[in-house]
Structures are given as structure tokens and as C-alpha cells.
Amino acid sequence: MKNLYFIAILLFSVTTLFAQEKDTLTPISLKEVVLIGKQAQLEQKQFKPLATIDEYLQQAGTVEMIKRGGYAWEPNINNMGTERTVVTIDGMRIFGACTDKMDPITSYVEVSNLSEAEISSGQSGSCHGPTIGGSIDLKRSKSKVGKKGINGYLNSGYEFNNQQKIIGGALNYVDSLFFIDNNIMFRDAQNYKAGNNNEVQFSQFRKLNISSTAGYLFDESKYFEGAVIYDKATDVGYPALPMDVSLAEALITSLKFEYLPENAIINKLETKVYYNSITHIMDDTKRPNVPIHMDMPGWSDTYGMYVNLNGKVKNNSFLATFNSYYNRSLAEMTMYPSDPNENIMFMLTWPDVITFYNGIYLDNTYAFNPNSSLKVSASLGNHFNEIKSTFGLESLQIFYPKMEADKSRILKSLASNYNWKKENFGFNFGLAYGERAPSISEAYGFYLFNSFDRFDYVGNPALKNEQSVEGSFAISYKPSKFKTSLTTSYFHISNYIIGTPDASVSPMTIGASGVKISSALAYATLIKSVLDFETYLTNDLKWINQFTYSYGKGSDDENLPFISPLAYNSKLQFKKRKFSSELGLQGNLIHNNYAPKYGEIKKPDFAIINLASNYTFDLNENKLNLKVGIENLLDSQYSTFADWNNIPRMGRNVFMNVSYGF
């Protein structure tokens, strides 16, 4: 342990700013950008162009995806779940409506309406709101005003393992003052099969996504934009959970105005107002041998706005942001006993909770010279919660008789990052402090069953804010024929929120092991380190490698859950004119740092091989892109640390993606 603490202190002394990757593997600052792309020429950069957003995000070194089924995986950043991170769509705050995390925000968008995912590590993501682990901003794809014309594309795909059918398209109009983009994507998948052709029951899903964006240029300095996304998923199976989803539906809308002053300190003003509404209904009617039937609907509505001011004074470049949102979250559970003589039971698992946040974020980057700069940022916000349901408040007062219906918290962050770059060599170092409030489940959840450790969870409104001291370090070397980088982030999190068993309280769920009350460890320590290396073996053949190390332990000297073992990803990419091909190997070592206290079991190592080829046909001025591939070529049966309740991953899967751009 002394050696470990020495390493941690050393990392903290010399630690990140370099967690930004401009391509899937190239670190450039405290952000990592995963290209998603709306057209074939961008999608050719991906192994499987019509993959789900989940599959795109898991390419990033700082992101792990917690899998509960074949769809809607939960993104973790730096080994931290959605309570400690922020996920936005074009800067908009959106909150899921499921107490079991079956509807992460990433599940309500599609590759057809996104251009990239910007992943910020730690406090570099605090411009989107209070965070500990970082943020993911899913950026919409959109046209730009220009030469008058109509363009678009058609997409189609098929995956043989789960018989997934994919079809979509886009139709866009552009002229010198106006544009409108419209796109649609539909997926329908049956149960997938793990290795050795073992069918994974209740892993099917069906999903429809429609979006539209329109923009108008008043003049060279004033621009107006409106956007809407409608997403509807039905018949979604979750093999790792005791319930499925009959409906997950989202409406996401926004209006944006941009102003670009000339010859002024402020060079850009951007303001946006937005509204989104989510409905989520869990369903157990298709499950056999259900001990008691339950209805579990949830709703989440968010109204928000932000104002961004960008400017420059001599060697100083600055950003000022005001961010405000109002969210209302409600979740119910109704239990229907098989004996008609017994009474129906009803409870509010989220007791109609209001969250109202108002905050400011400021950063300034001072350029010492063309090679070095220092960025300093700070944020301050007020986080207000109120329980609107009298019944919900009275339910929680069984545990906390003196609790009030409302609570206000002040949240702060402060960060500094030094960046040096000259010719092929780059260096980044950062120190930061940040806070977050407990999530609705952590503070106000009422008998939320966790099927992973089989405990019912009850929230605690008296929890203190989590406080994180963060250090980060990155170094890169990029000559002409190869590039390599090492990024490391260290987090010391005080008041680390986690559930603690309470033997004096009886569980509500049939078969539950007991009840856990939200409490906090004195602290937890987490480390994430990513080593990237890529080189051209020939002019047409590139070799890309990534190795990821993770560490997480609490003040009780117990391992934290969902901490990845050493992971690796190696691939050869060949490209010659219109043809490209990729051969990849990815895997984990043995999961020795598992957390039995939190329900984890030791997982063996695994390695899988993937293969894909792509060819682009020129059809006059249009392009037809064909991609064929095989995932898990050797049909290995395996599961990873990130697979909820040890559900197996997909076995051999042959896929075909076709894209026609016009």
C-alpha cells in the first residue's frame, strides 16, 4: 500500500491535461473526440459504420460501457457512473426516467444525427455542469449555408447474429441563407447469441429515431437555429435485469441564436433554450415465473438554457457560461399480488423531485508564447432540490423524521492546466478541485432494487457533497511516421457516496438480500491511465495500439466495483485507394481487482478477433460505400467486468453496412 500511495502522490505531483483526443486515439488536450459522422466518407473511419452509439463510445480510452442487455449501455468515464458524470446533447442537460439506469441519455440519439462525441476528463467537463469524472457532449451533425442544393444519403445494414435490421436516410436542403436537415433511423433486433450459439433470452430491441435541424443566417454575424429529436424504443429486453422495457420515448427540442461581433473583445455569443421530455415504462409481463407483477413507469421533464460568451484580449482567450435547468423526475411502482384477496401496493420510487440548477463557469487561457499556455477555470452554482409529493415526502420521513421537503447546495470547482508543445513533443499537467450533489436516487430513492448485489436501496437526503481533488498528466510524441501518448488521471474523492447495509430495515423486494442506505466512505481513490501508440508500417498499412490501466479502492481498503482490469486493443488498418480493411485484437487480462463486497465475481481473461473490409464505388458524382465484417471471429464465449450479472457478450457476428450518398 505504501508503494501505491507513493505512486499516487507522484502522479498527483506531475499529473493530466492531456486527456483530449482529437481522433479516436490521438490525445490533444483534456478532451477525447470520437468521430461519428453522418456521411459515408466519415463513417469509413469506423469499424462498423452503422454501429450503435454505445459501440462508438467504447472506442474511447477513458470510457467504459456498462452492459445490461443488447442496447442502451451506461457510459462510465474514468471508472465513474452517470451520478458522477454529465452527458449532454449539444450542451443540453437531459435526465433519464428510469431508476435502474435502463435509459442513459446516449440511448436517445442515433449515428444518423450526430457528428462526434466530445469526451472531457474530470473538471475539464465542468463547463456543462458539476461533475467529478468528466462529461460527454454528443454533438449534432448539421449542414452549413452555402451553395444551393439538395443532398442526403441512404443507409442499410444487417447483422446475422441477432438478425438486426437497420435502415435509415437523410434529406438535406441548403442555400445561401437557409438549411434544413432531416434524418431517420430504424433498428429491429432479435435475441443475440453468445459464443457456442447460446441464445441470450430477452436481449431483443426495436428503436425509431427521427430528427430535424433548420438554420437561418440573418446576416454574416447573426444566425438562428431550431432542432428537434424524437426517439422511441419498444420491446427492449434486458437479460441482466428482472424486467424489460415496453416503452422508452423522448422528445428533445431546442432554439439557438448566435451572434459574431466584429472588432470586439467578445467574438462570439451563443444562447440556447431547450425542452425535453422522457417517458420510460418497465415491463415484466413477458418474463416467466414472476413472483409478483409490477408496473414501474417513470417520467423526466427538463427546461433549460445557457449563454456562452467567447472572447480574446491580447494573449488571453476566455469563455464565460451561464447555465440553468429545471428538471422534474417522478417514478412509480405498483405491485399486484397473485392472491386477489391481497391489496395492491403502491409507492413512489422517485417522489416527484424538482432539481433547479443555476451556475456560472469561467475559463481563461493565457498564451506565454507559441509553445506554452496556462488555462485556469472556475465554476459556482446553486443546486436546489424539492420533493413535490406529500406522499413521497412522508414515505422518506419514515427513515428521516426531521427531513425537509427542500434542500439547497452550493457547488464549486477550480482547475488549472499547463500546456507545452514544440514541434513533435507535447506535455500537459493539471490540478483541479470539484464537487457534485447526490443524485436523485442517492438522495431520494425509495426501495430501488439493485439486481447486481440484490439489495433494496433507500436514499439519504442528508448526504454531503462529494469533493474531488484531481491531478492529471499527459505526454505525447508525434513525428511523421508514428505517434505515441500517455495520459494519466488521479482522483481523490472525499465523501464517496455508496450504499451501506442496514440490518434493522426489512427489504421490500421478494428475494432481496437486505436494504442498503445511501452513505459515504471517507474517501475513494481512482486512477485511469491510457497508453496509445500507432505507426505506419508501410504507406498503406497502419498499426494502432491502446493499453488501459484502471485502479479504484475505498478508504475501507476494499476494491470499488466496475473497475476494469488491464485492457488492450490492437489493430492493423490497410487502405489503398477505394479499398480498406481492418484486423483487430481486443481483450482484458484476468479481473483480479474485483469487488466481492459489492457483488462482483472474478472474471477470466479474454481476447477476441475482429475483421472488416470496405470498398467505395463512384457512381457519377455519388458514392456507394459497402462494408462487410466479422466480430468475435472465433466465436468466443466470454463476459467482462462491465457485464451486469455476468451476462455473456455476443458471439460471432457477421455484419453488412451499405451507405449511398448523393
Side-chain angles (χ1 to χ4, degrees), residues 56-73:
Y56 274 87
L57 288 176
Q58 69 180 356
Q59 301 173 54
T62 53
V63 176
E64 303 89 17
M65 305 298 292
I66 306 301
K67 182 181 178 185
R68 297 172 174 87
Y71 163 74
W73 305 346

Side-chain angles (χ1 to χ4, degrees), residues 14 21 32 35 55 60 70 93 151 157 165 195 215 314 331 348 510 580 619 636:
V14 275
E21 298 178 16
E32 199 173 359
L35 296 176
E55 295 174 86
R93 295 299 302 266
N151 64 79
K165 297 166 283 291
K314 296 183 179 179
L348 292 176
I510 297 173
S580 63
L619 305 176
S636 301

Side-chain angles (χ1 to χ4, degrees), residues 119-139:
I119 303 155
S120 302
S121 179
Q123 293 309 308
S124 66
S126 59
C127 59
H128 298 296
T131 181
I132 299 291
S135 69
I136 299 175
D137 189 25
L138 302 169
K139 294 184 177 295

Side-chain angles (χ1 to χ4, degrees), residues 127-384:
C127 59
H128 298 296
T131 181
I132 299 291
S135 69
I136 299 175
D137 189 25
L138 302 169
K139 294 184 177 295
R140 296 281 305 273
S141 61
K142 58 186 179 183
S143 300
K144 295 181 179 179
V145 294
K147 184 179 179 181
K148 184 176 181 179
I150 295 176
N151 64 79
Y153 58 86
L154 296 173
N155 288 326
S156 181
Y158 187 79
E159 301 192 15
F160 287 83
N161 183 289
N162 60 352
Q163 302 174 57
Q164 181 178 176
K165 297 166 283 291
I166 308 166
I167 188 166
L171 184 63
N172 311 319
Y173 171 80
V174 175
D175 66 25
S176 60
L177 296 177
F178 174 77
F179 78 85
I180 182 167
D181 295 343
N182 305 285
N183 61 70
I184 184 170
M185 182 74 81
F186 176 75
R187 299 177 186 268
D188 181 75
Q190 304 303 309
N191 292 334
Y192 71 82
K193 296 178 178 64
N196 299 321
N197 208 37
N198 294 318
E199 184 173 349
V200 179
Q201 296 291 331
F202 311 110
S203 57
Q204 78 288 342
F205 65 90
R206 183 179 297 115
K207 171 182 168 70
L208 172 68
N209 182 280
I210 304 172
S211 74
S212 182
T213 303
Y216 182 76
L217 188 67
F218 290 97
D219 55 41
E220 292 184 356
S221 63
K222 300 180 186 67
Y223 169 76
F224 180 80
E225 179 183 292
V228 60
I229 299 175
Y230 175 74
D231 189 276
K232 182 178 182 180
T234 57
D235 190 24
V236 183
Y238 287 87
L241 302 175
M243 300 185 75
D244 301 313
V245 170
S246 61
L247 176 67
E249 187 175 36
L251 176 65
I252 303 167
T253 62
S254 65
L255 294 173
K256 183 177 78 169
F257 176 74
E258 284 186 9
Y259 174 55
L260 305 176
E262 294 184 6
N263 304 318
I265 294 176
I266 303 297
N267 52 45
K268 181 180 179 181
L269 181 150
E270 176 186 329
T271 183
K272 178 181 287 187
V273 294
Y274 59 88
Y275 165 75
N276 54 75
S277 178
I278 294 177
T279 299
H280 189 273
I281 301 175
M282 285 188 270
D283 175 37
D284 62 6
T285 57
K286 296 183 180 180
R287 295 295 182 98
N289 306 318
V290 176
I292 183 169
H293 169 60
M294 293 185 290
D295 286 336
M296 295 185 66
W299 302 270
S300 174
D301 296 306
T302 305
Y303 304 81
M305 62 86 65
Y306 68 77
V307 178
N308 290 338
L309 292 173
N310 295 82
K312 184 175 176 63
V313 180
K314 296 183 179 179
N315 292 340
N316 295 277
S317 300
F318 63 86
L319 167 67
T321 296
F322 173 72
N323 179 25
S324 177
Y325 65 82
Y326 173 95
N327 171 262
R328 189 166 188 168
S329 294
L330 170 67
E332 302 174 350
M333 180 168 65
T334 305
M335 292 175 281
Y336 302 90
S338 56
D339 185 350
N341 296 317
E342 295 183 20
N343 292 328
I344 293 174
M345 292 175 283
F346 175 82
M347 67 174 67
L348 292 176
T349 49
W350 280 347
D352 200 0
V353 182
I354 296 296
T355 302
F356 186 36
Y357 176 82
N358 293 279
I360 56 172
Y361 168 87
L362 302 170
D363 75 44
N364 183 77
T365 301
Y366 178 79
F368 296 103
N369 53 55
N371 300 320
S372 64
S373 63
L374 177 68
K375 179 180 179 180
V376 178
S377 63
S379 68
L380 181 67
N382 177 258
H383 181 103
F384 175 80

Side-chain angles (χ1 to χ4, degrees), residues 368-637:
F368 296 103
N369 53 55
N371 300 320
S372 64
S373 63
L374 177 68
K375 179 180 179 180
V376 178
S377 63
S379 68
L380 181 67
N382 177 258
H383 181 103
F384 175 80
N385 287 126
E386 182 180 5
I387 298 176
K388 292 305 234 181
S389 167
T390 302
F391 173 67
L393 176 62
E394 291 173 347
S395 298
L396 280 168
Q397 284 175 336
I398 296 172
F399 297 92
Y400 311 103
K402 296 182 180 181
M403 75 170 287
E404 301 289 338
D406 58 75
K407 189 175 183 65
S408 186
R409 302 169 183 266
I410 300 296
L411 302 175
K412 307 172 290 295
S413 76
L414 180 65
S416 63
N417 299 291
Y418 176 75
N419 181 28
W420 183 87
K421 186 175 182 181
K422 188 172 183 179
E423 296 179 349
N424 300 322
F425 183 77
F427 171 82
N428 275 301
F429 163 75
L431 295 173
Y433 170 84
E435 298 177 346
R436 75 155 181 114
S439 68
I440 291 177
S441 291
E442 291 169 335
Y444 304 107
F446 192 71
Y447 282 97
L448 305 179
F449 179 63
N450 183 326
S451 64
F452 192 81
D453 61 10
R454 304 202 65 78
F455 275 82
D456 282 335
Y457 279 67
V458 175
N460 180 358
L463 288 168
K464 295 180 180 179
N465 295 339
E466 272 191 357
Q467 302 167 323
S468 172
V469 176
E470 170 194 341
S472 50
F473 168 81
I475 189 169
S476 70
Y477 182 58
K478 303 176 183 178
S480 59
K481 288 295 185 180
F482 75 94
K483 50 187 174 182
T484 184
S485 65
L486 173 66
T487 70
T488 300
S489 293
Y490 167 88
F491 300 87
H492 181 90
I493 305 173
S494 302
N495 305 317
Y496 187 86
I497 299 171
I498 206 156
T500 302
D502 189 336
S504 67
V505 183
S506 299
M508 185 75 68
T509 303
I510 297 173
S513 301
V515 174
K516 287 186 177 181
I517 305 295
S518 291
S519 59
L521 299 174
Y523 65 87
T525 302
L526 294 99
I527 299 173
K528 168 74 75 173
S529 189
V530 181
L531 173 65
D532 290 313
F533 173 79
E534 65 179 68
T535 184
Y536 278 93
L537 302 178
T538 70
N539 290 335
D540 305 316
L541 183 63
K542 183 164 66 171
W543 186 29
I544 303 173
N545 298 276
Q546 183 179 83
F547 301 90
T548 305
Y549 168 80
S550 302
Y551 172 88
K553 188 163 283 192
S555 56
D556 57 359
D557 206 32
E558 295 280 353
N559 290 327
L560 298 176
F562 298 110
I563 303 297
S564 173
L566 186 67
Y568 57 88
N569 192 337
S570 181
K571 52 190 176 183
L572 289 168
Q573 292 181 339
F574 175 81
K575 183 172 177 59
K576 188 77 170 180
R577 292 187 287 272
K578 300 176 184 179
F579 175 79
S580 63
S581 187
E582 179 177 314
L583 175 65
L585 172 70
Q586 67 180 88
N588 289 349
L589 298 188
I590 297 174
H591 190 204
N592 287 317
N593 57 338
Y594 66 104
K597 179 178 179 180
Y598 302 105
E600 285 192 325
I601 61 174
K602 188 174 183 178
K603 298 287 183 68
D605 58 346
F606 78 91
I608 61 170
I609 297 173
N610 304 313
L611 174 67
S613 293
N614 176 92
Y615 192 84
T616 301
F617 299 88
D618 290 325
L619 305 176
N620 296 322
E621 296 181 356
N622 305 323
K623 292 184 181 294
L624 176 68
N625 186 59
L626 173 64
K627 193 151 196 173
V628 178
I630 307 176
E631 299 171 297
N632 193 357
L633 180 66
L634 301 181
D635 198 31
S636 301
Q637 180 158 335

